[in-house]
Amino acid sequence: MLIKQLPSLLPLLLLLVACKSKKATVPEEAAHDSSLIVVTDSSNAGVTDSIAAVTDTLRVDTAKLIGKWIQPVAGLDKEMQGFQLRRNGTAKSINMYTLVYEKWALNNDTLFLWSHSEGVKDTAAVVDTTIIRELSDTSLVLFPLKAAEGYTDRYRRSH
């Protein structure tokens, strides 16, 4: 059976032998072609960043957060809503009857507000995570982490 296949394998064997015995040569014009310059792989090279990281973390005085913070209700500018942050870490909703704030915490410039809903179908507990962008004696500007870039919630202190 091998003898019957030999005539069809012979050209393949000859080609294989010819390829192995022939040295690879570079044509003269390719040897001087500048587009074939060898570039050293630098992917393993250590990269040192000379630019120091700049943090935009706001230093927040916890005592300034204590109190009532309100904002106009969307579409009802005369009505106000918001929250009260108490010294003991508890929080209370202002004029939001279905959203009940329970407690709050501060970590650097991040304000966490724990809440749940009442009187609605979905009563799941939620932790609102917001970055404090501005804080003064009279105003508070928050950026909710789940909001679109540039969106902010603005509150003013209420007495």
Side-chain angles (χ1 to χ4, degrees):
M1 185 157 194
L2 184 60
I3 296 176
K4 286 183 180 178
Q5 290 179 344
L6 192 57
S8 63
L9 289 177
L10 191 57
L12 182 60
L13 289 172
L14 289 174
L15 181 63
L16 184 60
V17 171
C19 288
K20 286 213 173 228
S21 66
K22 190 174 183 180
K23 271 189 167 178
T25 58
V26 177
E28 182 66 28
E29 64 273 5
H32 298 291
D33 186 355
S34 64
S35 67
L36 300 176
I37 296 174
V38 176
V39 179
T40 307
D41 180 14
S42 63
S43 61
N44 294 344
V47 177
T48 310
D49 191 357
S50 62
I51 301 172
V54 178
T55 60
D56 62 352
T57 303
L58 182 67
R59 288 189 123 341
V60 178
D61 180 2
T62 306
K64 278 189 172 182
L65 281 173
I66 305 300
K68 295 179 182 180
W69 297 98
I70 58 172
Q71 66 181 177
V73 175
L76 302 170
D77 292 340
K78 292 182 182 180
E79 295 293 321
M80 298 300 226
Q81 67 182 9
F83 52 87
Q84 179 181 9
L85 303 179
R86 298 178 175 156
R87 290 190 193 288
N88 65 1
T90 61
K92 181 181 175 189
S93 305
I94 299 172
N95 202 22
M96 294 187 286
Y97 304 106
T98 59
L99 181 63
V100 178
Y101 285 114
E102 301 159 358
K103 62 182 180 175
W104 68 280
L106 180 68
N107 184 8
N108 296 323
D109 64 346
T110 306
L111 175 63
F112 300 95
L113 283 165
W114 281 262
S115 67
H116 70 272
S117 297
E118 287 185 354
V120 294
K121 189 174 183 177
D122 183 13
T123 59
V126 175
V127 179
D128 290 328
T129 305
T130 59
I131 305 297
I132 299 172
R133 297 287 183 178
E134 295 175 31
L135 175 61
S136 72
D137 291 335
T138 58
S139 69
L140 173 64
V141 179
L142 300 176
F143 170 68
L145 284 187
K146 293 183 179 179
E149 188 58 44
Y151 174 85
T152 55
D153 281 326
R154 296 183 174 277
Y155 294 89
R156 68 176 173 84
R157 187 177 294 278
S158 174
H159 297 286

